[in-house]
PDB file of all heavy atoms in Angstrom:
ATOM      1  N   PRO A   1     100.519  41.553  17.431  1.00  0.00           N
ATOM      2  CA  PRO A   1     100.615  42.955  17.796  1.00  0.00           C
ATOM      3  C   PRO A   1     100.824  43.208  19.230  1.00  0.00           C
ATOM      4  O   PRO A   1     100.894  44.406  19.605  1.00  0.00           O
ATOM      5  CB  PRO A   1      99.136  43.302  17.429  1.00  0.00           C
ATOM      6  CG  PRO A   1      98.331  42.135  17.447  1.00  0.00           C
ATOM      7  CD  PRO A   1      99.252  41.021  16.971  1.00  0.00           C
ATOM      8  N   ALA A   2     100.813  42.169  20.001  1.00  0.00           N
ATOM      9  CA  ALA A   2     101.001  42.385  21.509  1.00  0.00           C
ATOM     10  C   ALA A   2     102.505  42.147  21.897  1.00  0.00           C
ATOM     11  O   ALA A   2     102.902  42.178  22.995  1.00  0.00           O
ATOM     12  CB  ALA A   2     100.206  41.437  22.324  1.00  0.00           C
ATOM     13  N   ALA A   3     103.375  41.945  20.820  1.00  0.00           N
ATOM     14  CA  ALA A   3     104.811  41.590  21.094  1.00  0.00           C
ATOM     15  C   ALA A   3     105.835  42.512  20.373  1.00  0.00           C
ATOM     16  O   ALA A   3     105.409  42.896  19.141  1.00  0.00           O
ATOM     17  CB  ALA A   3     105.141  40.161  20.859  1.00  0.00           C
ATOM     18  N   TYR A   4     106.979  42.728  20.881  1.00  0.00           N
ATOM     19  CA  TYR A   4     108.151  43.340  20.153  1.00  0.00           C
ATOM     20  C   TYR A   4     109.097  42.117  19.847  1.00  0.00           C
ATOM     21  O   TYR A   4     109.086  41.136  20.399  1.00  0.00           O
ATOM     22  CB  TYR A   4     108.926  44.191  21.147  1.00  0.00           C
ATOM     23  CG  TYR A   4     108.275  45.532  21.446  1.00  0.00           C
ATOM     24  CD1 TYR A   4     107.940  45.815  22.742  1.00  0.00           C
ATOM     25  CD2 TYR A   4     108.079  46.453  20.488  1.00  0.00           C
ATOM     26  CE1 TYR A   4     107.359  47.035  23.160  1.00  0.00           C
ATOM     27  CE2 TYR A   4     107.478  47.750  20.848  1.00  0.00           C
ATOM     28  CZ  TYR A   4     107.138  47.869  22.174  1.00  0.00           C
ATOM     29  OH  TYR A   4     106.514  49.159  22.469  1.00  0.00           O
ATOM     30  N   PHE A   5     109.920  42.371  18.852  1.00  0.00           N
ATOM     31  CA  PHE A   5     111.017  41.450  18.570  1.00  0.00           C
ATOM     32  C   PHE A   5     112.268  42.338  18.387  1.00  0.00           C
ATOM     33  O   PHE A   5     112.160  43.498  17.894  1.00  0.00           O
ATOM     34  CB  PHE A   5     110.735  40.551  17.299  1.00  0.00           C
ATOM     35  CG  PHE A   5     110.936  41.198  16.008  1.00  0.00           C
ATOM     36  CD1 PHE A   5     112.186  41.221  15.345  1.00  0.00           C
ATOM     37  CD2 PHE A   5     109.804  41.816  15.414  1.00  0.00           C
ATOM     38  CE1 PHE A   5     112.160  41.803  14.026  1.00  0.00           C
ATOM     39  CE2 PHE A   5     109.871  42.340  14.160  1.00  0.00           C
ATOM     40  CZ  PHE A   5     111.059  42.383  13.470  1.00  0.00           C
ATOM     41  N   SER A   6     113.407  41.724  18.885  1.00  0.00           N
ATOM     42  CA  SER A   6     114.702  42.336  18.839  1.00  0.00           C
ATOM     43  C   SER A   6     115.763  41.425  18.284  1.00  0.00           C
ATOM     44  O   SER A   6     115.579  40.266  18.464  1.00  0.00           O
ATOM     45  CB  SER A   6     114.992  42.876  20.312  1.00  0.00           C
ATOM     46  OG  SER A   6     114.047  43.811  20.796  1.00  0.00           O
ATOM     47  N   LEU A   7     116.787  42.061  17.792  1.00  0.00           N
ATOM     48  CA  LEU A   7     117.934  41.329  17.133  1.00  0.00           C
ATOM     49  C   LEU A   7     119.193  41.721  17.811  1.00  0.00           C
ATOM     50  O   LEU A   7     119.435  42.922  18.085  1.00  0.00           O
ATOM     51  CB  LEU A   7     117.996  41.593  15.651  1.00  0.00           C
ATOM     52  CG  LEU A   7     116.849  41.529  14.739  1.00  0.00           C
ATOM     53  CD1 LEU A   7     117.206  41.721  13.344  1.00  0.00           C
ATOM     54  CD2 LEU A   7     116.305  40.141  14.959  1.00  0.00           C
ATOM     55  N   PHE A   8     119.976  40.712  18.258  1.00  0.00           N
ATOM     56  CA  PHE A   8     121.225  40.895  18.897  1.00  0.00           C
ATOM     57  C   PHE A   8     122.304  40.035  18.216  1.00  0.00           C
ATOM     58  O   PHE A   8     122.171  38.843  18.255  1.00  0.00           O
ATOM     59  CB  PHE A   8     121.104  40.707  20.394  1.00  0.00           C
ATOM     60  CG  PHE A   8     120.113  41.403  21.135  1.00  0.00           C
ATOM     61  CD1 PHE A   8     118.936  40.951  21.411  1.00  0.00           C
ATOM     62  CD2 PHE A   8     120.431  42.774  21.459  1.00  0.00           C
ATOM     63  CE1 PHE A   8     117.945  41.729  22.071  1.00  0.00           C
ATOM     64  CE2 PHE A   8     119.509  43.458  22.152  1.00  0.00           C
ATOM     65  CZ  PHE A   8     118.178  43.052  22.484  1.00  0.00           C
ATOM     66  N   PRO A   9     123.457  40.597  17.811  1.00  0.00           N
ATOM     67  CA  PRO A   9     124.543  39.885  17.146  1.00  0.00           C
ATOM     68  C   PRO A   9     125.269  39.139  18.282  1.00  0.00           C
ATOM     69  O   PRO A   9     125.350  39.595  19.461  1.00  0.00           O
ATOM     70  CB  PRO A   9     125.432  40.897  16.558  1.00  0.00           C
ATOM     71  CG  PRO A   9     125.094  42.213  17.262  1.00  0.00           C
ATOM     72  CD  PRO A   9     123.619  42.136  17.713  1.00  0.00           C
ATOM     73  N   LEU A  10     125.528  37.811  18.068  1.00  0.00           N
ATOM     74  CA  LEU A  10     126.148  36.985  18.923  1.00  0.00           C
ATOM     75  C   LEU A  10     127.728  36.725  18.931  1.00  0.00           C
ATOM     76  O   LEU A  10     128.303  36.422  19.940  1.00  0.00           O
ATOM     77  CB  LEU A  10     125.436  35.695  19.047  1.00  0.00           C
ATOM     78  CG  LEU A  10     123.973  35.663  19.578  1.00  0.00           C
ATOM     79  CD1 LEU A  10     123.357  34.317  19.429  1.00  0.00           C
ATOM     80  CD2 LEU A  10     123.893  36.060  21.027  1.00  0.00           C
ATOM     81  N   GLU A  11     128.164  36.916  17.719  1.00  0.00           N
ATOM     82  CA  GLU A  11     129.625  36.520  17.469  1.00  0.00           C
ATOM     83  C   GLU A  11     130.282  37.707  16.762  1.00  0.00           C
ATOM     84  O   GLU A  11     130.799  37.628  15.674  1.00  0.00           O
ATOM     85  CB  GLU A  11     129.679  35.228  16.604  1.00  0.00           C
ATOM     86  CG  GLU A  11     129.048  34.019  17.277  1.00  0.00           C
ATOM     87  CD  GLU A  11     128.992  32.892  16.232  1.00  0.00           C
ATOM     88  OE1 GLU A  11     128.358  32.995  15.349  1.00  0.00           O
ATOM     89  OE2 GLU A  11     129.747  31.964  16.623  1.00  0.00           O
ATOM     90  N   GLY A  12     130.355  38.822  17.541  1.00  0.00           N
ATOM     91  CA  GLY A  12     130.894  40.020  16.936  1.00  0.00           C
ATOM     92  C   GLY A  12     129.819  40.636  15.937  1.00  0.00           C
ATOM     93  O   GLY A  12     128.635  40.392  16.109  1.00  0.00           O
ATOM     94  N   ALA A  13     130.185  41.415  14.987  1.00  0.00           N
ATOM     95  CA  ALA A  13     129.390  42.136  14.070  1.00  0.00           C
ATOM     96  C   ALA A  13     128.638  41.073  13.255  1.00  0.00           C
ATOM     97  O   ALA A  13     129.185  39.983  12.779  1.00  0.00           O
ATOM     98  CB  ALA A  13     130.100  43.135  13.290  1.00  0.00           C
ATOM     99  N   ALA A  14     127.312  41.391  12.986  1.00  0.00           N
ATOM    100  CA  ALA A  14     126.538  40.673  11.966  1.00  0.00           C
ATOM    101  C   ALA A  14     126.221  41.459  10.735  1.00  0.00           C
ATOM    102  O   ALA A  14     125.765  42.631  10.979  1.00  0.00           O
ATOM    103  CB  ALA A  14     125.247  40.095  12.546  1.00  0.00           C
ATOM    104  N   SER A  15     126.584  41.127   9.626  1.00  0.00           N
ATOM    105  CA  SER A  15     126.413  41.927   8.466  1.00  0.00           C
ATOM    106  C   SER A  15     125.515  41.279   7.419  1.00  0.00           C
ATOM    107  O   SER A  15     125.166  40.066   7.484  1.00  0.00           O
ATOM    108  CB  SER A  15     127.782  42.304   7.779  1.00  0.00           C
ATOM    109  OG  SER A  15     128.443  41.087   7.409  1.00  0.00           O
ATOM    110  N   GLY A  16     124.983  42.100   6.510  1.00  0.00           N
ATOM    111  CA  GLY A  16     123.971  41.700   5.580  1.00  0.00           C
ATOM    112  C   GLY A  16     122.716  41.275   6.286  1.00  0.00           C
ATOM    113  O   GLY A  16     122.098  40.259   5.997  1.00  0.00           O
ATOM    114  N   VAL A  17     122.223  42.098   7.205  1.00  0.00           N
ATOM    115  CA  VAL A  17     121.085  41.943   7.922  1.00  0.00           C
ATOM    116  C   VAL A  17     119.793  42.553   7.245  1.00  0.00           C
ATOM    117  O   VAL A  17     119.836  43.725   6.928  1.00  0.00           O
ATOM    118  CB  VAL A  17     121.149  42.531   9.378  1.00  0.00           C
ATOM    119  CG1 VAL A  17     119.795  42.273  10.163  1.00  0.00           C
ATOM    120  CG2 VAL A  17     122.351  41.877  10.110  1.00  0.00           C
ATOM    121  N   PHE A  18     118.877  41.718   6.906  1.00  0.00           N
ATOM    122  CA  PHE A  18     117.590  42.210   6.279  1.00  0.00           C
ATOM    123  C   PHE A  18     116.494  41.968   7.137  1.00  0.00           C
ATOM    124  O   PHE A  18     116.344  40.827   7.650  1.00  0.00           O
ATOM    125  CB  PHE A  18     117.505  41.482   4.956  1.00  0.00           C
ATOM    126  CG  PHE A  18     118.473  41.928   3.923  1.00  0.00           C
ATOM    127  CD1 PHE A  18     119.753  41.248   3.914  1.00  0.00           C
ATOM    128  CD2 PHE A  18     118.263  42.866   2.927  1.00  0.00           C
ATOM    129  CE1 PHE A  18     120.748  41.547   3.037  1.00  0.00           C
ATOM    130  CE2 PHE A  18     119.347  43.078   2.007  1.00  0.00           C
ATOM    131  CZ  PHE A  18     120.589  42.549   2.098  1.00  0.00           C
ATOM    132  N   ILE A  19     115.479  42.935   7.291  1.00  0.00           N
ATOM    133  CA  ILE A  19     114.244  42.699   8.077  1.00  0.00           C
ATOM    134  C   ILE A  19     113.199  43.102   7.029  1.00  0.00           C
ATOM    135  O   ILE A  19     113.233  44.161   6.629  1.00  0.00           O
ATOM    136  CB  ILE A  19     114.062  43.397   9.318  1.00  0.00           C
ATOM    137  CG1 ILE A  19     115.242  43.059  10.249  1.00  0.00           C
ATOM    138  CG2 ILE A  19     112.792  43.113   9.970  1.00  0.00           C
ATOM    139  CD1 ILE A  19     115.254  43.881  11.558  1.00  0.00           C
ATOM    140  N   THR A  20     112.161  42.197   6.661  1.00  0.00           N
ATOM    141  CA  THR A  20     111.061  42.694   5.902  1.00  0.00           C
ATOM    142  C   THR A  20     109.856  42.365   6.678  1.00  0.00           C
ATOM    143  O   THR A  20     109.823  41.479   7.554  1.00  0.00           O
ATOM    144  CB  THR A  20     111.033  41.966   4.523  1.00  0.00           C
ATOM    145  OG1 THR A  20     111.129  40.487   4.712  1.00  0.00           O
ATOM    146  CG2 THR A  20     112.308  42.369   3.673  1.00  0.00           C
ATOM    147  N   GLY A  21     108.706  43.012   6.378  1.00  0.00           N
ATOM    148  CA  GLY A  21     107.434  42.732   7.025  1.00  0.00           C
ATOM    149  C   GLY A  21     107.463  43.328   8.497  1.00  0.00           C
ATOM    150  O   GLY A  21     106.661  42.738   9.261  1.00  0.00           O
ATOM    151  N   ALA A  22     108.240  44.404   8.776  1.00  0.00           N
ATOM    152  CA  ALA A  22     108.233  44.921  10.071  1.00  0.00           C
ATOM    153  C   ALA A  22     108.189  46.383   9.996  1.00  0.00           C
ATOM    154  O   ALA A  22     108.325  47.130   9.078  1.00  0.00           O
ATOM    155  CB  ALA A  22     109.606  44.487  10.767  1.00  0.00           C
ATOM    156  N   LYS A  23     107.764  47.088  11.154  1.00  0.00           N
ATOM    157  CA  LYS A  23     107.612  48.398  11.260  1.00  0.00           C
ATOM    158  C   LYS A  23     108.893  49.190  10.948  1.00  0.00           C
ATOM    159  O   LYS A  23     108.872  50.224  10.348  1.00  0.00           O
ATOM    160  CB  LYS A  23     107.144  48.801  12.757  1.00  0.00           C
ATOM    161  CG  LYS A  23     106.893  50.345  13.008  1.00  0.00           C
ATOM    162  CD  LYS A  23     106.425  50.619  14.351  1.00  0.00           C
ATOM    163  CE  LYS A  23     106.125  52.097  14.552  1.00  0.00           C
ATOM    164  NZ  LYS A  23     105.614  52.379  15.896  1.00  0.00           N
ATOM    165  N   TYR A  24     110.072  48.557  11.326  1.00  0.00           N
ATOM    166  CA  TYR A  24     111.309  49.201  11.078  1.00  0.00           C
ATOM    167  C   TYR A  24     112.146  48.163  10.181  1.00  0.00           C
ATOM    168  O   TYR A  24     112.848  47.410  10.830  1.00  0.00           O
ATOM    169  CB  TYR A  24     112.086  49.486  12.337  1.00  0.00           C
ATOM    170  CG  TYR A  24     111.321  50.328  13.355  1.00  0.00           C
ATOM    171  CD1 TYR A  24     110.814  49.864  14.529  1.00  0.00           C
ATOM    172  CD2 TYR A  24     111.022  51.754  13.029  1.00  0.00           C
ATOM    173  CE1 TYR A  24     110.052  50.639  15.405  1.00  0.00           C
ATOM    174  CE2 TYR A  24     110.386  52.510  13.924  1.00  0.00           C
ATOM    175  CZ  TYR A  24     109.845  51.939  15.141  1.00  0.00           C
ATOM    176  OH  TYR A  24     109.133  52.794  15.903  1.00  0.00           O
ATOM    177  N   PRO A  25     112.133  48.257   8.940  1.00  0.00           N
ATOM    178  CA  PRO A  25     112.794  47.308   8.126  1.00  0.00           C
ATOM    179  C   PRO A  25     114.314  47.697   8.008  1.00  0.00           C
ATOM    180  O   PRO A  25     114.699  48.826   8.318  1.00  0.00           O
ATOM    181  CB  PRO A  25     112.056  47.491   6.666  1.00  0.00           C
ATOM    182  CG  PRO A  25     111.677  48.917   6.713  1.00  0.00           C
ATOM    183  CD  PRO A  25     111.088  49.230   8.118  1.00  0.00           C
ATOM    184  N   LEU A  26     115.071  46.660   7.744  1.00  0.00           N
ATOM    185  CA  LEU A  26     116.444  46.923   7.432  1.00  0.00           C
ATOM    186  C   LEU A  26     116.912  46.290   6.145  1.00  0.00           C
ATOM    187  O   LEU A  26     116.367  45.273   5.767  1.00  0.00           O
ATOM    188  CB  LEU A  26     117.238  46.297   8.557  1.00  0.00           C
ATOM    189  CG  LEU A  26     117.299  46.856  10.027  1.00  0.00           C
ATOM    190  CD1 LEU A  26     118.118  46.071  10.948  1.00  0.00           C
ATOM    191  CD2 LEU A  26     117.824  48.332   9.869  1.00  0.00           C
TER     192      LEU A  26
END
């Protein structure tokens, strides 16, 4: 609860990204 997490694509676009168990799911 004391941390954020962030995602950054490294090799151009990243597709089929899924996030579960988070405040902002994808």
Side-chain angles (χ1 to χ4, degrees):
Y4 291 114
F5 75 91
S6 299
L7 310 181
F8 299 98
L10 291 174
E11 300 173 291
S15 58
V17 178
F18 294 80
I19 303 176
T20 56
K23 182 176 180 179
Y24 305 111
L26 286 178

